[in-house]
Amino acid sequence: MNRLVRGNDGREWVIRAHMEWRQPATADDFEHDAAANYTPGIMMAGVALALAGALVLSMPDRLVIPEFVPYGLLLVALFFPLRWVLRRPWTVVAETDGDPAGDHPSERWVGTVSGVFNINGEVKRIAKSIAQHDLPDFEGPLHPVE
């Protein structure tokens, strides 16, 4: 997602956003990372598949399953992967090369926004702030980078 915005001071800002497939590492995250690998998740998936297999093998032959039950099970199985995809963090970058006269230097602002539904609104707010105040909002998700 790219967007070009012109500020009141004449500088052109490029606002870019791209989805991150992993959570950005911060200092606060390291004390909570107990497993540090995928082994517990793989083991739980194996246990869930074994229990599902035992349930299917122990069903009576004449059991009638309503049509909505497989769809409900599919919905339950897809809940966490869909939640994971929809809540991915997006890195937003707003940068300018400055103005041709050299009155304003180049700047780069970087931040993170979580959720695919939040990113469009946040990019619009950043663009509006740049158009009105010549800079992204200091109280928004973006922070200046040197």
Side-chain angles (χ1 to χ4, degrees), residues 71-85:
Y71 295 120
L73 291 175
L74 182 65
L75 183 66
V76 168
L78 291 178
F79 173 76
F80 286 108
L82 285 175
R83 182 178 179 266
W84 181 83
V85 168

Side-chain angles (χ1 to χ4, degrees), residues 11 40 46 52 54 58 62 73 75 83 138:
R11 293 187 292 177
S58 66
R62 298 181 303 161
L73 291 175
L75 183 66
R83 182 178 179 266
F138 280 102

Side-chain angles (χ1 to χ4, degrees), residues 12-45:
E12 288 187 354
W13 289 77
V14 176
I15 303 172
R16 292 189 322 262
H18 64 278
M19 185 169 42
E20 298 290 339
W21 288 104
R22 291 182 178 244
Q23 292 281 0
T26 61
D28 297 336
D29 293 337
F30 289 112
E31 65 186 49
H32 300 293
D33 190 12
N37 59 24
Y38 298 114
T39 304
I42 293 171
M43 294 297 292
M44 288 304 294

Side-chain angles (χ1 to χ4, degrees), residues 39-72:
T39 304
I42 293 171
M43 294 297 292
M44 288 304 294
V47 168
L49 288 174
L51 289 174
L55 179 65
V56 169
L57 291 175
S58 66
M59 285 192 320
D61 293 336
R62 298 181 303 161
L63 180 66
V64 177
I65 299 173
E67 293 180 12
F68 64 88
V69 170
Y71 295 120

Side-chain angles (χ1 to χ4, degrees), residues 93-104:
V93 178
E95 59 187 351
T96 181
D97 291 333
D99 61 349
D103 296 333
H104 300 284

